[in-house]
Amino acid sequence: MNKIAFFGLGYVGLTTAVAMASRGFKVIGYDVDKAKVASLKAGKLTVYEPGLSETFKEALKNIRFTSEANEAVNEADTIFITVGTPSKPDGSIDLSNVIFASRQIGEGLDGYKLVVVKSTVLPGTTMGVVRREIESASNKKCCRDFGLAVNPEFLREGSALEDTLKPDRIIIGEADKASGDQLEELWRGFLNGYEVPIVRTTPENAELIKYANNAFLAIKVTFANMFARLCMKIPGADIDTVMKGIGLDKRIGPYFLNAGMSWGGSCFPKDLKAIVKFAQEKGVRLGLVEEALRINSKGPEDVVQIAESLIGSLKAKVVCVLGVTFKPDTDDVRESPSFYLVDELKARGAKVKCYDPKASAFPSGCEINKSPKECINGSDLVILVTEWNEFKYLNPEDFLSMKSPVVIDTRRILNKRAFEEKGIKLVQLGVGV
Ligand code: UGA
């Protein structure tokens, strides 16, 4: 049976490793971060994902962690590169982790293995720098002494495990047929009869599919966000009904039309910036993607403007921000819109309080509260940003401890009528007033 190594144990590497181990595959997880490996060895997960800790417990017998790269390479038949590919300050992609992992794999290669790039990398990276690094560090030849493939990841944080166990499709970009065959067989074994399309193609197409996918989804959400702003100017209009109406058109589909202040996370912002920069270098303008990034970066400012229209100057006002993760059901705050919102509020002299049930970090210069009620208490304005489930159960009574209750609900999860009956001003992003 295959033994599978994962180089990089972030959300993607760890979730995929745990999912594979839970299906009976022998897995070895490697990470340069020794503290992370120590924690995982002690049975403590390093990311928060719904359902992952239960599956992790079941999978423990099939999974082992190491901070020795050689050990991971030597034991495995298939090695997944799942390290991060963050943005550089100019928006271009930082490949240093991918290059380092490729070199480590090359140095450890002691026989034929399949190397699979799962990290998000620009077209040409796998057959370019990844292949070169492995070949030069190993003195071996791609497609003869080792296999190489690209296998982009589409899991979402917050539903990472579910997405891995039941993917929409598997994309395989293969350096040669043998590499594609080995990877397809691995996935078919993992999926165990669960039927999904498996697309076999060139490494470059596979790399580009990942970027095009994230760009399309981000544009789709931006579209909803843009129309949400228009709805607010039309009494009687609401964005959820408008998006439901268009989502029923099969050509559009109902997903990724939930409007909010703006989108964030570790993927959309960095991937959109990277593909824009990449295209620019090729002399092509991805105007639509650039515009989505521009519209998105204005989201927090739009909400601050709504705030000012409701309570006037924000100077010395106390503002409660509910939700600082970039979406619910994750502890991840990377590129979280709430952080940008807090910056905007502080720049206008507001005093900001924040609450989040799971956030791994909070914006600097804000008061961190332990419950929504503590956060709401004594504030001049509440802005609900992240649609955590627990916020849906907040009652108008919970807001009566505000100085003079005014609430902005950017996700339309509070009951407007119930709030108004209690004399609370509730403005919902995307609802005409
Ligand atoms: C995204 C993609 O959805 C995954 O397919 C991909 O694998 C991943 O990036 C990646 O490249 O690694 P993720 O960033 O975890 O996944 O989360 P999403 O669910 O896509 O949400 C991204 C942002 O869009 C969040 O801020 C979320 O609140 C926002 N969003 C999403 C909306 O505002 N409305 C929606 O309808 C959907």
Side-chain angles (χ1 to χ4, degrees), residues 364-390:
S364 65
C366 70
E367 181 187 308
I368 303 166
N369 295 131
K370 292 210 157 30
S371 71
K373 286 182 194 164
E374 187 190 346
C375 197
I376 293 166
N377 189 19
S379 57
D380 295 285
L381 173 71
V382 171
I383 307 179
L384 190 160
V385 183
T386 317
E387 67 276 34
W388 280 99
N389 209 36
E390 67 174 81

Side-chain angles (χ1 to χ4, degrees), residues 153-155 157 210 214 256 258 263-264 267 326-327 411:
E153 182 52 64
F154 301 103
L155 64 78
E157 288 181 25
K210 170 69 192 191
N214 270 357
F256 275 66
N258 183 25
W263 40 261
C267 303
F326 81 96
K327 63 186 273 191
R411 292 293 188 174

